[in-house]
Amino acid sequence: MTTASEVLSSIQSAFPGAVLDSRVESDRRLWATIDAKTILDVCKHLSSKLNFDHYSGAAGVDWIARKEMEVVEIMASHGAHQVVAMLKVKTHRESPSAKSLTGLYWNANWYEREIWEMLGINFEGHPELYPLLLSDGLMGAWPWRKDYKGYPDLTTGERAVAITTPEGYTEYRFPPTPAEIEAGTVVVERPKYPSFREREEKEIKSDSEMIMHLGPQHAMVPGPFLLDILVEGERVKKAFLDLGYIHKGIEKIMENRTWLQGITYTDRMCYVASLSNNECYCGAVEKILGLEVPERAQYIRVILEELSRIQSHLIGTGEFLTLIAGVGYAPWQYMIMDREKIISLIESVTGARLTHTFVRFGGVRNDLPEGFAEQCKKVLPYMKSRTEEFIELFAQDPIYHARMENIGSISPETGKRMGCSGPVLRATGVAYDMRKEDPILVYPDLDFKVITGTRGDSADRIDVRLREMLESIHIIEQCLDRIHSGPIKTEAKIPKKVPAGEAYYRVEDPRGEMGMYVISDGGDKPYRVKVRGPFYATFQTLTPLLEGVYIADAVAIAGSMDGCPSEADR
Amino acid sequence: MGISDVIPVPVAIDEEIEKWTIFGRPVAEVWFTTTEKIHQIIEMGPIKNIFNWGRKNSVYFLMQPMGCCGVEMFVFGAAPYDSDRFGCIPRNTPRQTDVMIISGYLTRKYLPVFKNLWEQMPEPKWCIAIGECAISGGPFYDSYNIIQNTGDYFPIDVFIPGCPPRPEQFLEGLINLQEKIKQRKDKRDY
C-alpha cells in the first residue's frame, strides 16, 4: 500500500528541487509546496505512475500578509491507495497566475473558473475562463480576496450606494474606487456572460435548431439553475449550464464568523444533508485541534448521519419521480410521508427538521433522548419493508425500464475521469465510498457493503440509492446494539482561538465525496474554508452527458443526479 | 358606444337601435356599458366581498424552491401537511398562480429572474416572504451576493419567520393571507 511518505520521496527523486516544502501529516495526507514551473509535470507523474486518477478539487487562498496567493490542488485515487496529496502552488499577489490543469484533468475546469472569478488568479491554458457563479456586476471585484470591501462591509463602514432605478426599484451599486476614477477606466476588464441573444446568434447554425430553457425556476429541484439546451428536432445538440443563482458566499461569510458559529453555515450548504456537512467541518477543526471524540458521541454521529442519508435519498428519489412523471406522483407522496417519520426521529434528537447544527468540536450537542432506540426499532423495520417495496416497484415497471435503462450511461472510466462520486460513480461499478476509503468515526468497526451498479445509467443510480438506504438501516441497527453509555463530549477544553494549522477532512455525503479544507491562522475565526461539494463535481458532468440525447431524456438524466444546486453554488 | 362594438351586428341595425329610447335616454347607454363601469360598480358594492371570498379559497402558490425553506415547501405541498385542504395548491408555472412564495435567499443574479416570474403571474396576485433570508437576509445578511430587503421589490403581505419555518407555520401564514384578502387589507388592495 502506497503511503504519503512514499509518494513524497517518489516526487523528490523524479523532480529534484521541485518540492519546496513538505509535511507528511499521516499515512494518508501529504502536504507539499511545489515549484510553480513543474506543477504540470508533477501532476503528470502522479497520475501516470502513482495512480492519482482522482482530481478532487482546487482551492485558492489569499495570503495577504505574505503578499502571495496559493492554489491548492487536491489529488486522490479511486481505490488504488488512500493518500490525499495537497499540492500548493504559490504566486505573486500582483497579477497572480498559475498553470491550468484542465489539459490533464477534465474536471479541473470549474474549480479553476471559480478560483479565477473569486480571487482573480489567472489560469494559463484554461479553455473557457468566464464567470461561473457571480453575476456581471460583481465580476472583477474579486470578493474572496482578504482586502475586498464590498457590500455591506461592516468592518470599514463602506457600503454600496442605493440607487433608485427608473422603474422605482432600489438597487445597490458599488461606487468606483478613487483609483478607478483617476485612471478613467476600471482596473480589470470585466468579462460578461453571453446573454441569451448572443448565445442564440453564436450557436444556432441552421433553421432547424433552437435553444430551450430548463430553469432557472424549476418546481422540483431544490434550488434554481439554468440549463439551456440547443436542440435540433428531438435531439439535444449541446447543453449549457448556468449556476450561481443562489450563490451566498458561504466560504467568505465563514471567514467572518467564529469557529463555533461556522457550524450553522455548514447546515445551509446542502440542507438535505446538513448532518454530514456538520460532521465534515467539525472533523476538520478537530483534526487541527487534535481532539479525540468519545465513543458514544461517535456512535450518535453515525446514527444521525445515516438517518440523514435515508431521508436525503428518499427526497432525491421522490424528486426524480416527479421530474420524469412516469411512475407518477403517488410514490413521491409516499416517500415524503416516510421521510417525515425519519425527520421526526432526527428532530427528537436535534430539535430541528432540516438545519440541525448538532455536531460540536469533540462531540455532539446533546444526548439521545429516552426511548430513542425503541422508536428507532419501530421505524426502521417499517422503512426496510417500504424500501423493499420501492425497489420491487421499480424492478417490475416495464415503462420505467424502457425509459430509464441505458439513458445517460457513464462508463467506469468516464466516471472516474469526470470526478463524480457517490451514487453516480457507484452506479458505474466503481466501489468508491469515503466510509471505506477514508474511514472516520466508528465506520471501520461496522459491517456494511458498498453498493454498486453495473450499467451506470439513470435506472442504476436510483437503484443504488434505494439499496443504500437498506444498508444505512443495517448500519443504524448495528450502532443501536453497540452503543453504550459514556460521555458525549470530549473532556479537553476547546479553546476559542484555534492554533495555526490546516486540515483536509472527507466524509461520505448522501451525494458523494464531501471534503472541507480548513486553514487556521491562530485566530478566533477560520482563515479560509474551502468546501469540495459532491454535487458541484456531479453537476459538471451534466453538459457532456446531455449531448445527443432526446429532449425527454434530458430531464431524466438531470433528475437522476439528485441535484442540490445550493451546495454547488454555496 | 353602439351595439356593434359589443356584439357583431350589421351596422344598419346598430344605427336603427341607436334611435330607440327608453325613459327618454338612448337604449345603448343604459343596456351596454364598459368593463370599467362594471369594475366601478363592483368596487363600490358588496359584490367585491363575494369575489374576494372566491379568491381567498383558491390561493394557488408557485412551487419555487430557492433554499432550505423550499424543501419545507415540498413537504407543505405534499401529503403529510396537505395544503390542498385550504385551497392552496402548488402549481409549477407562474401563469397559473396567485401567490408568490419567496422561499429563500434572493441573490443579485436571481433577482431579475424573480422579477420576471412575478410579472408573469396574472392579477390578482399576492406575495409571501418565508424564512429569515427572504425577510432580512438572515444568516447571510453580510454576504456580497444577497439582497437584504425583498420588501423593497415586492409587495409582501405576510412574513413568516423561522430558519426554516416549519410546515405548520407555512399553513398559518397562508391562513393569515386568506384573512387579509377577506378583510380587503392586502397591500395591493384587491
Side-chain angles (χ1 to χ4, degrees):
Chain A
M1 192 60 76
T2 320
T3 61
S5 45
E6 280 172 32
V7 173
L8 180 62
S9 56
S10 167
I11 299 173
Q12 275 168 337
S13 61
F15 304 97
V19 182
L20 304 175
D21 184 21
S22 66
R23 179 166 71 93
V24 178
E25 185 189 300
S26 66
D27 280 356
R28 296 186 166 166
R29 289 286 183 284
L30 168 67
W31 302 83
T33 310
I34 307 285
D35 190 8
K37 286 171 207 141
T38 53
I39 179 73
L40 264 177
D41 300 322
V42 170
C43 288
K44 237 175 239 172
H45 175 75
L46 285 179
S47 62
S48 59
K49 300 271 161 55
L50 293 161
N51 283 320
F52 277 89
D53 53 353
H54 179 40
Y55 180 85
S56 187
V61 189
D62 178 15
W63 293 101
I64 189 162
R66 291 182 349 218
K67 287 189 181 162
E68 58 186 21
M69 288 207 191
E70 248 177 25
V71 180
V72 186
E73 316 277 1
I74 306 164
M75 316 273 240
S77 165
H78 279 114
H81 54 77
Q82 275 94 33
V83 183
V84 179
M86 312 284 289
L87 307 180
K88 296 176 186 174
V89 180
K90 283 182 181 165
T91 167
H92 282 294
R93 214 163 167 280
E94 298 87 37
S95 67
S97 175
K99 275 187 182 152
S100 169
L101 293 188
T102 37
L104 212 54
Y105 297 101
W106 177 84
N107 60 329
N109 191 328
W110 275 21
Y111 295 100
E112 289 178 356
R113 262 166 76 182
E114 189 193 302
I115 294 172
W116 168 73
E117 71 177 338
M118 296 300 178
L119 288 158
I121 301 177
N122 186 40
F123 281 92
E124 298 160 25
H126 193 286
E128 34 169 21
L129 213 53
Y130 66 87
L132 180 70
L133 296 174
L134 290 183
S135 54
D136 291 335
L138 271 168
M139 228 10 254
W142 316 132
W144 286 4
R145 285 193 183 183
K146 287 281 174 185
D147 55 354
Y148 169 70
K149 294 187 183 74
Y151 160 78
D153 190 351
L154 300 171
T155 50
T156 59
E158 265 185 44
R159 281 171 167 263
V161 185
I163 296 163
T164 313
T165 58
E167 300 97 59
Y169 296 120
T170 315
E171 272 182 3
Y172 291 90
R173 296 206 186 125
F174 296 98
T177 60
E180 280 176 347
I181 295 166
E182 220 170 87
T185 51
V186 281
V187 177
V188 282
E189 196 186 324
R190 301 191 172 187
K192 285 186 76 175
Y193 276 105
S195 70
F196 174 59
R197 286 275 164 242
E198 283 163 7
R199 184 172 278 167
E200 245 184 358
E201 274 166 24
K202 198 179 153 202
E203 300 291 342
I204 294 181
K205 301 271 168 19
S206 73
D207 288 349
S208 58
E209 294 173 354
M210 62 177 271
I211 288 185
M212 255 176 79
H213 292 305
L214 300 173
Q217 178 255 351
H218 195 284
M220 272 300 150
V221 181
F225 67 94
L226 175 63
L227 188 62
D228 276 354
I229 49 178
L230 177 71
V231 290
E232 185 176 19
E234 276 292 297
R235 291 276 181 183
V236 178
K237 275 189 89 177
K238 207 172 173 186
F240 312 90
L241 203 52
D242 261 3
L243 61 164
Y245 286 97
I246 45 172
H247 170 66
K248 306 164 282 266
I250 285 187
E251 291 176 23
K252 179 76 179 178
I253 295 173
M254 278 168 88
E255 290 172 13
N256 299 324
R257 299 287 189 276
T258 62
W259 289 94
L260 197 61
Q261 283 174 336
I263 304 175
T264 52
Y265 288 89
T266 55
D267 282 337
R268 285 151 184 86
M269 235 148 27
C270 178
Y271 19 77
V272 274
S274 38
L275 279 159
S276 341
N277 299 0
N278 282 179
E279 168 66 40
C280 196
Y281 176 65
C282 291
V285 178
E286 277 160 14
K287 242 180 165 180
I288 301 177
L289 286 167
L291 289 179
E292 280 289 316
V293 185
E295 203 184 334
R296 185 176 171 84
Q298 293 194 21
Y299 275 113
I300 294 176
R301 282 188 189 184
V302 171
I303 290 171
L304 285 172
E305 274 157 39
E306 294 303 322
L307 281 174
S308 168
R309 191 184 313 279
I310 296 173
Q311 60 93 6
S312 169
H313 282 345
L314 275 174
I315 200 168
T317 319
E319 274 164 33
F320 168 72
L321 292 178
T322 36
L323 281 169
I324 59 167
V327 185
Y329 208 56
W332 152 256
Q333 302 279 8
Y334 284 121
M335 281 173 180
I336 289 290
M337 277 156 77
D338 294 346
R339 181 175 170 269
E340 282 300 298
K341 287 195 164 53
I342 303 286
I343 288 279
S344 50
L345 265 186
I346 301 177
E347 200 187 348
S348 73
V349 185
T350 65
R353 286 169 54 89
L354 288 179
T355 45
H356 309 289
T357 322
F358 180 67
V359 183
R360 288 288 186 277
F361 308 137
V364 290
R365 191 178 66 209
N366 52 280
D367 211 338
L368 297 177
E370 259 178 56
F372 178 78
E374 288 75 49
Q375 202 60 37
C376 264
K377 275 166 191 160
K378 260 187 228 164
V379 173
L380 291 180
Y382 168 79
M383 274 312 302
K384 204 169 180 175
S385 67
R386 286 308 284 256
T387 314
E388 275 158 4
E389 209 176 304
F390 289 137
I391 294 174
E392 204 187 319
L393 175 76
F394 292 125
Q396 293 178 340
D397 194 332
I399 300 171
Y400 173 77
H401 276 272
R403 249 202 101 176
M404 288 303 130
E405 263 176 21
N406 300 322
I407 296 298
S409 300
I410 309 178
S411 69
E413 291 73 34
T414 323
K416 284 178 182 176
R417 195 170 58 84
M418 286 176 163
C420 49
S421 58
V424 179
L425 183 64
R426 286 198 285 276
T428 66
V430 182
Y432 187 60
D433 189 322
M434 285 307 124
R435 290 173 291 178
K436 293 274 187 200
E437 208 62 38
D438 206 352
I440 49 162
L441 304 176
V442 287
Y443 279 116
D445 307 340
L446 298 168
D447 162 51
F448 64 98
K449 289 198 296 281
V450 178
I451 307 291
T452 51
T454 46
R455 299 180 306 267
D457 54 7
S458 290
D460 250 10
R461 276 171 229 145
I462 299 304
D463 192 45
V464 164
R465 278 196 196 101
L466 288 171
R467 285 191 289 142
E468 244 174 42
M469 278 157 58
L470 290 180
E471 214 57 34
S472 289
I473 293 170
H474 181 50
I475 292 176
I476 298 167
E477 279 168 348
Q478 287 175 60
C479 288
L480 287 174
D481 288 342
R482 288 183 195 183
I483 189 168
H484 45 73
S485 57
I488 55 158
K489 262 179 205 160
T490 174
E491 276 166 22
K493 193 172 176 295
I494 294 154
K496 272 197 177 161
K497 290 186 176 177
V498 172
E502 52 192 351
Y504 184 64
Y505 193 77
R506 298 194 289 177
V507 298
E508 182 68 22
D509 192 83
R511 284 165 187 76
E513 176 194 350
M514 173 91 169
M516 275 204 207
Y517 173 42
V518 179
I519 305 177
S520 166
D521 63 343
D524 56 349
K525 292 166 186 168
Y527 189 77
R528 175 90 170 87
V529 180
K530 162 75 193 167
V531 183
R532 190 265 182 218
F535 188 63
Y536 191 77
T538 315
F539 219 9
Q540 207 181 152
T541 64
L542 203 57
T543 34
L545 267 186
L546 290 183
E547 275 168 30
V549 302
Y550 286 111
I551 296 175
D553 295 340
V555 179
I557 295 168
S560 70
M561 297 290 180
D562 189 5
C564 183
S566 169
E567 180 238 276
D569 290 356
R570 278 162 286 134
Chain B
M1 181 181 146
I3 212 174
S4 59
D5 293 340
V6 185
I7 28 176
V9 288
V11 180
I13 297 176
D14 194 17
E15 281 169 359
E16 183 63 29
I17 290 174
E18 267 180 22
K19 287 176 200 155
W20 298 359
T21 56
I22 183 164
F23 303 121
R25 291 171 69 192
V27 168
E29 201 178 283
V30 179
W31 285 9
F32 304 106
T33 176
T34 57
T35 331
E36 282 149 37
K37 265 188 189 167
I38 294 172
H39 272 274
Q40 279 168 11
I41 293 163
I42 289 171
E43 280 295 326
M44 286 184 300
I47 195 167
K48 180 72 177 289
N49 294 346
I50 298 170
F51 269 47
N52 276 351
W53 172 82
R55 285 166 177 171
K56 114 178 165 27
N57 285 322
S58 67
V59 280
Y60 291 10
F61 64 91
L62 177 63
M63 206 61 184
Q64 201 329 80
M66 288 154 66
C68 331
C69 305
V71 178
E72 294 290 58
M73 199 155 86
F74 284 154
V75 181
F76 167 62
Y81 290 93
D82 200 11
S83 63
D84 300 14
R85 291 176 289 168
F86 302 91
C88 318
I89 300 174
R91 306 300 302 175
N92 296 346
T93 157
R95 308 212 186 261
Q96 300 170 353
T97 51
D98 308 299
V99 179
M100 168 76 91
I101 296 184
I102 308 178
S103 64
Y105 10 79
L106 206 50
T107 62
R108 285 158 183 284
K109 195 170 173 184
Y110 199 42
L111 182 66
V113 181
F114 207 81
K115 279 181 193 165
N116 212 342
L117 284 173
W118 171 252
E119 275 149 24
Q120 280 176 358
M121 283 168 57
E123 304 263 357
K125 54 191 174 184
W126 297 274
C127 189
I128 295 181
I130 277 180
E132 296 297 340
C133 305
I135 295 172
S136 65
F140 308 105
Y141 70 98
D142 58 350
S143 169
Y144 49 83
N145 208 23
I146 299 284
I147 305 289
Q148 288 188 357
N149 39 359
T150 40
D152 285 3
Y153 298 87
F154 304 100
I156 298 168
D157 276 314
V158 181
F159 293 92
I160 306 176
C163 191
R166 299 176 61 88
E168 291 95 328
Q169 279 170 278
F170 276 61
L171 272 183
E172 197 193 339
L174 267 164
I175 291 168
N176 279 344
L177 177 69
Q178 289 177 336
E179 200 56 37
K180 267 190 149 179
I181 298 170
K182 196 179 154 194
Q183 293 175 3
R184 300 169 72 166
K185 279 183 180 168
D186 49 332
K187 277 217 173 136
R188 283 171 70 93
D189 210 14
Y190 289 115

